[in-house]
Amino acid sequence: MADAAHHLRRRSSAALPRGWCCSFSATPQSPDHHRPLSAASAAGGEGVGGGGARGKLPPKSPSVSLPSFQSSPSSRLAGFIDPRRILSPGRVSPIDPDGSLAVAAGANSEEDAPPRPSVPFVAVREEREEEEGRGLDLKLCLRGRDGRSVAMELDSAVLCESSAFFGAMAPPPTPEATVGGGSKRIEVDGVENVEAFKETVELMFEPDPMRWFVRAGVSRAIGVLEVSSSIMFDRGIKSCLEYIEAVPWNENEEEKLKNLFARCTFDEAVSKDVLARLKPQCQSSSDDVTVHLIQSVTSSTNTGARKEMQSLVNGLLSKSSVYQKDLSGLNKGSLYQICCSCLNSLVEHFMEDLCPDKTVRDSKPMIERVSKQTENLNWLFDILVNNDMAEEFVELWAKQEDLISMHRQASAMFRYELSRISANVFIILGKGKVQCPSDLRSQLFYGWFRPMLMDFGWLQRCSKGLDMRMLEENLGQALLTLPLQQQQSLFEEWFQCFASRGTECPNLSRAFQVWWRRSFVRSSLESRR
């Protein structure tokens, strides 16, 4: 009867699912730290017993000759355990027949061995513990470089089946250990990230890995992926990559993934989807994409959306932007093609206004259509100035003879938008940000200086962010870069306009005084000498 009850108890216990338990504790004892052993060992050295007082570690056995770390599968643990200092799974510590604990060969005895520094190591040893009916036959002790330690009681079969690293490390169970209730102990020292290592081991026993990842998040999943790669936990690698590929990342997580893929190699079949998010498959130039974005902005029909997209592109092209590092490769030819397209649209709008019988393709008011194209051209001009490409734009604007001639006949309600473009060009020339030949500057002033005098009052009333004081100052400075004879004709024209219109005309008094002093005062002084 007692035998039947005992047999029934063993069958019900064996039916329990395999599992693990984990405890946070002080630094686990290890052979390297000369942890006291059982009383039986201390007394007679007849093996490592369970329970009782612990004695001193027996002397090392000189009879063990073990393979090197590099030839062992545990070399994948690099990064978590220093490969130059760790004892590989091939250099574990089996139990001697006489009960003494064998360690890596190197010294003949405890007394003859040179003093060893405290280094990271992996060791396996066997203990006798009465855990009848339980499948937790292995104790895994993790010790981090920061001193933190974790002890986990595990089912060795699940651990070894999941990880090739632990499968090569743990020795197969012996009949004696099975009958006596013996359990193995694996110690891993010098772990870089104890928490990630612990979570990776937990994942081996998790029936639904995706649910665990949803609770953990991307950052912890990346840590588990790194550990899984190191201990050759293939199922964990696949689960990590599937989860990471399916969820959004922030910039820090993306950088972690890039660094991890630079250091580790994963099977292309399981990592290709993640790599497709990290690296573009077809290498298209960012400059080409930028030109397409700019073209989309200039063709937008929604005023609010167009301004929002302009701000977005300006941020991407900013020299202080984290997204754009080299602006020298921006496609200049494509940008000027967009400029010419906007200028052609502007010419068409003015021709439609001057020819009422012409078919109108756009039902929007003329002032709105003209304003859109002038905003586009001013925005493009700013981009060209920031990238040192604006000299051709000055030439392009100076040669718009059709627009200059139509300006005189067009309505003042929208023709002043043309002078808004001229204003930005004059400001840039006055600041010296664009250097153009003298004949080009002369052509620009002879074409657009008079329209500026006519439209200045309208620009004041509808500035749209244009700084009128800055315009007056830089218009005068740009005018002073012309030959003195040309300056005289332009200043005389300005003087007549200012005398009749007053504040409706730009105030160029300071520049006028400079020109007068250079032309007459200095000349008279030099002639007297």
Side-chain angles (χ1 to χ4, degrees), residues 382-395:
D382 289 339
I383 293 176
L384 293 170
V385 170
N386 292 333
N387 291 275
D388 301 324
M389 303 177 183
E391 183 177 336
E392 287 84 351
F393 186 93
V394 177
E395 181 179 1

Side-chain angles (χ1 to χ4, degrees), residues 454-510:
M454 298 170 60
D455 297 334
F456 190 82
W458 283 88
L459 289 174
Q460 282 183 312
R461 288 186 288 272
C462 189
S463 62
K464 295 183 180 180
L466 180 63
D467 190 333
M468 305 307 295
R469 291 290 182 89
M470 182 183 296
L471 172 59
E472 291 176 323
E473 179 181 353
N474 289 285
L475 177 61
Q477 292 295 322
L479 202 158
L480 291 172
T481 63
L482 302 177
L484 289 175
Q485 190 63 35
Q486 296 178 14
Q487 292 182 35
Q488 179 175 346
S489 62
L490 293 173
F491 274 120
E492 287 177 354
E493 184 177 356
W494 163 80
F495 196 88
Q496 294 175 3
C497 178
F498 189 76
S500 60
R501 303 180 63 185
T503 57
E504 291 288 302
C505 185
N507 189 345
L508 305 181
S509 300
R510 295 179 60 183

Side-chain angles (χ1 to χ4, degrees), residues 72 99 167 173 209 274 299 374 387 529:
S72 168
V274 176
S299 61
T374 54
N387 291 275
R529 293 177 185 175

Side-chain angles (χ1 to χ4, degrees), residues 32-286:
D32 194 52
H33 292 126
H34 295 260
R35 174 175 69 261
L37 299 179
S38 64
S41 175
E46 294 296 327
V48 181
R54 299 203 176 255
K56 191 174 182 180
L57 184 71
K60 305 175 185 178
S61 172
S63 61
V64 180
S65 177
L66 300 167
S68 65
F69 173 80
Q70 287 76 10
S71 62
S72 168
S74 66
S75 61
R76 293 285 295 277
L77 200 62
F80 293 89
I81 307 172
D82 191 344
R84 299 168 300 176
R85 305 166 66 188
I86 187 172
L87 299 182
S88 75
R91 298 167 63 184
V92 298
S93 305
I95 303 300
D96 281 348
D98 59 353
S100 62
L101 186 66
V103 297
N108 292 332
S109 67
E110 185 79 21
E111 292 78 8
D112 297 337
R116 292 190 306 165
S118 177
V119 297
F121 67 94
V122 176
V124 178
R125 70 173 198 161
E126 192 163 330
E127 296 178 344
R128 299 284 183 178
E129 295 182 1
E130 294 298 331
E131 296 185 4
E132 186 176 358
R134 294 181 60 186
L136 308 182
D137 60 341
L138 184 143
K139 190 169 186 178
L140 176 64
C141 299
L142 309 175
R143 186 181 297 110
R145 295 180 181 178
D146 56 357
R148 184 187 177 200
S149 62
V150 175
M152 308 175 72
E153 294 183 355
L154 309 167
D155 185 341
S156 62
V158 175
L159 183 69
C160 296
E161 290 172 3
S162 302
S163 167
F165 169 76
F166 286 111
M169 175 185 296
T174 60
E176 294 79 2
T178 304
V179 174
S183 67
K184 295 178 287 295
R185 179 188 184 97
I186 297 179
E187 297 178 350
V188 183
D189 201 355
V191 178
E192 180 79 22
N193 189 339
V194 173
E195 185 64 24
F197 208 117
K198 167 182 166 292
E199 291 175 341
T200 305
V201 175
E202 291 176 2
L203 193 65
M204 299 178 185
F205 299 86
E206 182 65 43
D208 190 354
M210 287 302 168
R211 181 178 297 178
W212 185 92
F213 284 124
V214 169
R215 296 193 304 266
V218 177
S219 183
R220 290 167 65 185
I222 295 173
V224 170
L225 175 61
E226 185 171 3
V227 178
S228 299
S229 174
S230 299
I231 64 174
M232 292 173 281
F233 176 27
D234 294 336
R235 182 166 53 87
I237 293 174
K238 183 178 179 182
S239 300
C240 287
L241 291 174
E242 288 178 354
Y243 168 76
I244 291 171
E245 190 278 330
V247 296
W249 318 323
N250 58 36
E251 292 187 4
N252 291 334
E253 292 163 350
E254 183 179 354
E255 288 301 319
K256 286 183 181 179
L257 279 173
K258 288 181 178 179
N259 293 333
L260 178 59
F261 272 79
R263 290 184 282 108
C264 302
T265 302
F266 299 98
D267 184 15
E268 184 179 358
V270 296
S271 63
K272 62 180 181 180
D273 292 335
V274 176
L275 285 173
R277 289 180 57 181
L278 288 173
K279 301 176 182 179
Q281 300 300 314
C282 55
Q283 294 292 337
S284 58
S285 171
S286 62

Side-chain angles (χ1 to χ4, degrees), residues 267-487:
D267 184 15
E268 184 179 358
V270 296
S271 63
K272 62 180 181 180
D273 292 335
V274 176
L275 285 173
R277 289 180 57 181
L278 288 173
K279 301 176 182 179
Q281 300 300 314
C282 55
Q283 294 292 337
S284 58
S285 171
S286 62
D287 301 330
D288 296 335
V289 177
T290 303
V291 171
H292 288 309
L293 293 177
I294 294 173
Q295 192 168 17
S296 299
V297 172
T298 57
S299 61
S300 173
T301 57
N302 187 298
T303 303
R306 185 170 64 252
K307 292 182 178 180
E308 185 71 23
M309 290 189 293
Q310 285 177 353
S311 299
L312 176 60
V313 175
N314 288 339
L316 297 178
L317 297 180
S318 173
K319 293 183 178 179
S320 60
S321 172
V322 298
Y323 302 104
Q324 186 75 24
K325 301 301 183 184
D326 184 14
L327 298 175
S328 60
L330 195 60
N331 195 316
K332 181 178 179 180
S334 298
L335 286 179
Y336 274 100
Q337 286 181 359
I338 301 175
C339 291
C340 291
S341 176
C342 293
L343 284 170
N344 292 336
S345 298
L346 207 53
V347 172
E348 289 180 3
H349 295 333
F350 273 81
M351 291 181 67
E352 289 174 5
D353 181 67
L354 297 177
C355 302
D357 298 336
K358 190 174 182 179
T359 303
V360 179
R361 294 179 299 176
D362 196 339
S363 60
K364 292 184 178 180
M366 178 62 67
I367 187 172
E368 183 177 345
R369 287 182 281 162
V370 172
S371 177
K372 171 189 171 182
Q373 298 304 332
T374 54
E375 287 180 2
N376 286 337
L377 287 167
N378 279 327
W379 179 57
L380 290 168
F381 180 61
D382 289 339
I383 293 176
L384 293 170
V385 170
N386 292 333
N387 291 275
D388 301 324
M389 303 177 183
E391 183 177 336
E392 287 84 351
F393 186 93
V394 177
E395 181 179 1
L396 193 64
W397 185 244
K399 295 180 178 181
Q400 293 299 311
E401 297 178 358
D402 292 338
L403 284 175
I404 294 172
S405 62
M406 287 188 290
H407 178 275
R408 304 187 187 98
Q409 309 172 44
S411 170
M413 295 183 64
F414 58 84
R415 74 181 184 188
Y416 75 93
E417 291 288 350
L418 298 180
S419 293
R420 193 183 305 280
I421 300 175
S422 301
N424 284 328
V425 175
F426 288 137
I427 289 174
I428 294 301
L429 288 177
K431 290 183 176 181
K433 290 186 176 181
V434 176
Q435 297 78 40
C436 299
S438 176
D439 57 344
L440 180 58
R441 297 196 306 273
S442 300
Q443 185 178 5
L444 177 70
F445 271 93
Y446 277 114
W448 291 107
F449 184 69
R450 182 173 294 175
M452 175 62 67
L453 299 181
M454 298 170 60
D455 297 334
F456 190 82
W458 283 88
L459 289 174
Q460 282 183 312
R461 288 186 288 272
C462 189
S463 62
K464 295 183 180 180
L466 180 63
D467 190 333
M468 305 307 295
R469 291 290 182 89
M470 182 183 296
L471 172 59
E472 291 176 323
E473 179 181 353
N474 289 285
L475 177 61
Q477 292 295 322
L479 202 158
L480 291 172
T481 63
L482 302 177
L484 289 175
Q485 190 63 35
Q486 296 178 14
Q487 292 182 35

